[in-house]
């Protein structure tokens, strides 16, 4: 089941990014910074009242001139319409209602989605004299907050989770859902067309949750799949679009709905910052990931070319070294079938369960081979471990002190589990609990 998504929308300089960073940085967010993921994050996973959701910051796009503001705002609003279950419309309480606020409001009003109007920069309990002017935007009762001082955050988060649609946020079935993600023009649509054209048994096109996204149900070698095409930006804008931001946002909803992500890389360009941002979304979401290097036909090769490129992938995507790579050419139909076979294997590993007895035998051997860390005469003790979840695999460890569990030792245990049980292509998560803590704490 995919999580609901919240998009923070508004004109530049109203405080969207400050709001986003406060949510992420003050542990309302459940996602920690991951080494290797770019700091310019625009997507994070959050939790409030035990409800998990995705949060998108559409801010930070500075217009080149006053004339292009409406076009910029229109593009941001369209992305929010496509992707979000709830839209947080932020305005500036110090500057009052502007014509750009009115234009964004007109666009959002047509979405049919819940829109929460938030008036930022209200830094004192006393409302500004023109506060009630915001009612004219037609978005219901405005909510006063201060992103700088985190005033009113609880009330806004309450309103957000109460506005989520009821029921499941994604259709659950037995199909393996594969999202093809990556920056524009890397061959995402081409590989979908190749897979459905050559191997199609049953196909039905269904409108996806994002604009320009199509879900294709297909049966390949007796296995049912849903292929999610995030084809990127097809509608041309008259302004200098921030393509990186838009392509990452478009990937968010597709990642939330899938089991396995095919991260498409252009072999002729190598690993770019944009690739790393998109990879970070899939990694943080705990999805299965396969790095698909396309346009391999364009590369001049020798006996070491593939090995050298693989080293570059491991260096640039160091936070997801568990992800296998496959080098293909959609144009020349090279290794296309390998991709779907690998996706099936990754989906199976992501759903795999390890028997508790085998897991604890492995942990016992690992502790004997490498002594746990200690501090001031007190040594880490691991009493037992058990797998408590799948998709991604989640392991719970009962220990004597969480402070003694160093990152390096947790990585050591992860490597031992991977070496023994596999889990290629999927992240695995650990939770450490001290004696006396409840299992669901």
């Amino acid at each position: 089941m995919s999580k609901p998504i919240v998009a923070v929308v508004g004109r530049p300089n109203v405080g969207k990014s400050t709001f986003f960073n406060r949510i992420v940085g003050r542990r309302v967010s459940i996602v920690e910074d991951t080494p290797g993921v770019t700091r310019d994050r625009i997507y994070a996973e959050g939790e409030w009242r035990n409800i998990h959701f995705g949060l998108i910051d559409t801010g930070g796009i500075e217009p080149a001139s006053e004339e292009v503001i409406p076009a910029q705002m229109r593009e941001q609003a369209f992305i929010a319409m496509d992707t979000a279950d709830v839209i947080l419309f932020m305005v500036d309480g110090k500057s009052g209602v502007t014509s750009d606020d009115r234009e964004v409001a007109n666009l959002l009003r047509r979405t049919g989605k819940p829109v929460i109007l938030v008036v930022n920069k209200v830094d004192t309990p006393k409302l500004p004299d023109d506060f009630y002017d915001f009612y004219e935007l037609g978005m219901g009762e405005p909510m006063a907050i201060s992103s700088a001082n985190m005033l009113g955050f609880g009330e806004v988060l309450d309103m957000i989770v109460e506005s989520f649609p009821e029921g499941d946020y994604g259709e659950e079935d037995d199909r393996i859902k594969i999202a093809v993600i990556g920056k524009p023009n890397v061959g995402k649509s081409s590989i979908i067309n190749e897979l459905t054209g050559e191997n199609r048994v049953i196909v039905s096109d269904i409108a996806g949750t994002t604009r320009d996204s199509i879900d294709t149900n297909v049966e390949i070698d007796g296995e049912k799949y849903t292929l999610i095409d995030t084809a990127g930006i097809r509608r041309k804008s008259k302004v200098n679009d921030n393509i990186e931001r838009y392509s990452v946002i478009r990937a968010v909803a597709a990642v939330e709905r899938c089991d396995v992500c095919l991260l498409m890389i252009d072999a002729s360009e190598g690993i770019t910052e944009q690739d790393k941002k998109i990879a970070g979304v899939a990694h943080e979401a705990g999805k299965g990931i396969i790095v698909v290097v396309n346009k391999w036909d364009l590369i001049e090769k020798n006996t070491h070319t593939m090995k050298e490129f693989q080293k570059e992938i491991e260096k640039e995507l160091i936070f997801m070294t568990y992800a296998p790579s496959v080098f293909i050419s959609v144009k020349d139909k090279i290794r296309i079938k390998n991709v779907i076979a690998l996706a099936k294997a990754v989906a199976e590993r992501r759903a795999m369960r390890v028997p508790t007895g085998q897991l604890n035998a492995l942990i016992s051997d690992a502790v004997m081979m490498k002594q746990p860390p200690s501090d001031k005469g007190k040594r880490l003790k691991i009493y037992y471990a058990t797998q408590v979840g799948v998709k991604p695999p989640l392991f719970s460890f009962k220990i004597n002190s969480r402070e003694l569990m160093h990152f390096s030792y947790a990585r050591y245990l992860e490597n031992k589990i991977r070496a023994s049980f596999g889990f290629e292509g999927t992240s695995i998560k650990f939770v450490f609990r001290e004696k006396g803590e409840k299992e669901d704490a």
Side-chain angles (χ1 to χ4, degrees):
M1 182 175 72
S2 57
K3 290 181 288 293
I5 294 174
V6 181
V8 186
V9 174
R11 60 187 174 83
N13 303 317
V14 297
K16 298 185 298 298
S17 295
T18 301
F19 176 85
F20 178 89
N21 291 335
R22 290 288 194 184
I23 293 288
V24 172
R26 290 301 179 91
R27 306 303 300 163
V28 176
S29 167
I30 60 172
V31 173
E32 297 177 357
D33 286 329
T34 305
V37 180
T38 176
R39 292 181 203 142
D40 182 23
R41 178 183 294 167
I42 61 171
Y43 173 77
E45 296 177 23
E47 178 268 333
W48 187 251
R49 285 166 37 181
N50 294 320
I51 298 175
H52 296 242
F53 59 90
L55 182 69
I56 298 174
D57 172 21
T58 63
I61 304 173
E62 293 295 335
S65 67
E66 290 297 316
E67 286 74 27
V68 301
I69 287 178
Q72 290 276 12
M73 292 306 97
R74 199 173 299 116
E75 185 66 26
Q76 285 194 44
F78 276 129
I79 291 173
M81 294 176 199
D82 295 340
T83 306
D85 295 287
V86 175
I87 301 170
L88 195 73
F89 177 26
M90 186 171 289
V91 294
D92 188 333
K94 291 186 176 178
S95 62
V97 180
T98 69
S99 59
D100 296 320
D101 293 331
R102 294 186 183 94
E103 178 161 357
V104 176
N106 288 336
L107 291 168
L108 296 180
R109 199 176 295 114
R110 303 186 205 129
T111 66
K113 295 185 177 181
V115 179
I116 300 170
L117 176 61
V118 175
V119 182
N120 192 25
K121 305 183 185 179
V122 181
D123 300 325
T124 65
K126 187 178 185 302
L127 298 177
D129 293 337
D130 58 356
F131 179 83
Y132 294 98
D133 293 347
F134 290 102
Y135 275 95
E136 73 174 76
L137 295 174
M139 294 293 176
E141 183 176 357
M143 304 184 72
I145 70 164
S146 169
S147 292
N149 301 321
M150 292 192 72
L151 297 176
F153 272 38
E155 291 82 356
V156 169
L157 287 164
D158 284 342
M159 179 69 76
I160 287 172
V161 299
E162 288 166 6
S163 300
F164 289 148
E166 292 183 4
D168 291 349
Y169 301 102
E171 184 179 337
E172 291 290 332
D173 56 34
D174 294 333
R175 294 177 181 272
I176 297 172
K177 299 175 185 64
I178 303 172
V180 185
I181 61 175
K183 61 183 185 292
N185 304 316
V186 293
K188 297 189 296 297
S189 293
S190 297
I191 194 171
I192 293 279
N193 292 339
E194 191 65 33
L195 288 170
T196 56
E198 276 196 350
N199 304 289
R200 178 168 54 195
V201 176
I202 303 168
V203 172
S204 60
D205 290 338
I206 308 162
T209 55
T210 58
R211 181 164 52 92
D212 297 336
S213 174
I214 295 293
D215 290 7
T216 301
N217 290 335
V218 62
E219 186 174 313
I220 301 173
D221 296 329
E223 186 73 49
K224 294 180 179 179
Y225 301 89
T226 297
L227 305 178
I228 305 171
D229 177 12
T230 58
I233 306 157
R234 295 176 181 157
R235 188 173 63 81
K236 298 295 183 183
S237 173
K238 296 180 181 178
V239 299
N240 294 320
D241 289 336
N242 186 329
I243 303 238
E244 288 190 14
R245 178 175 297 273
Y246 294 157
S247 59
V248 175
I249 289 173
R250 290 192 184 285
V252 168
V255 166
E256 284 298 336
R257 294 189 293 124
C258 78
D259 300 300
V260 179
C261 296
L262 305 183
L263 174 65
M264 298 283 287
I265 303 291
D266 187 329
S268 62
E269 295 182 7
I271 311 293
T272 67
E273 286 300 312
Q274 191 176 353
D275 293 325
K276 287 192 275 189
K277 290 175 185 176
I278 295 171
V281 171
H283 170 74
E284 290 183 348
K287 303 297 181 176
I289 306 174
I290 300 167
V291 179
V292 180
V293 183
N294 190 26
K295 306 184 185 179
W296 196 238
D297 56 294
L298 301 180
I299 301 298
E300 231 178 275
K301 304 173 192 68
N302 57 42
T303 54
H304 303 294
T305 307
M306 190 176 291
K307 188 178 291 184
E308 289 169 356
F309 203 107
Q310 181 64 46
K311 287 181 180 177
E312 186 68 13
I313 292 172
E314 292 170 0
K315 175 186 172 185
E316 295 297 328
L317 301 178
I318 192 171
F319 53 93
M320 44 178 255
T321 54
Y322 56 83
S325 303
V326 59
F327 296 78
I328 72 167
S329 168
V330 176
K331 176 174 169 285
D332 293 342
K333 302 183 180 181
I334 297 173
R335 288 186 284 273
I336 302 296
K337 289 186 178 180
N338 293 9
V339 174
I340 207 75
L342 193 52
K344 179 184 177 183
V346 168
E348 290 171 349
R349 290 164 191 155
R350 189 167 171 262
M352 186 171 67
R353 286 190 179 274
V354 176
T356 300
Q358 293 181 29
L359 176 64
N360 281 281
L362 172 70
I363 298 300
S364 179
D365 289 345
V367 168
M368 289 179 65
M369 292 173 63
K370 183 176 181 178
Q371 206 169 43
S374 63
D375 184 44
K376 297 176 183 178
K378 186 178 181 181
R379 187 168 298 281
L380 171 69
K381 292 181 181 179
I382 302 175
Y383 301 114
Y384 67 89
T386 184
Q387 185 175 354
V388 295
V390 294
K391 299 183 180 181
L394 174 63
F395 295 90
S396 175
F397 291 77
K398 185 70 75 174
I399 60 177
N400 61 332
S401 172
R402 194 179 287 108
E403 291 181 358
L404 293 174
M405 179 57 80
H406 296 170
F407 172 80
S408 59
Y409 201 76
R411 177 56 59 86
Y412 164 72
L413 294 175
E414 177 182 338
N415 290 339
K416 287 294 182 182
I417 290 173
R418 286 188 182 280
S420 182
F421 301 113
F423 294 114
E424 182 187 26
T426 180
S427 61
I428 61 178
K429 309 287 186 183
F430 288 172
V431 59
F432 300 104
R433 296 185 172 94
E434 297 179 0
K435 267 191 170 181
E437 290 185 346
K438 295 180 180 179
E439 286 301 312
D440 58 353

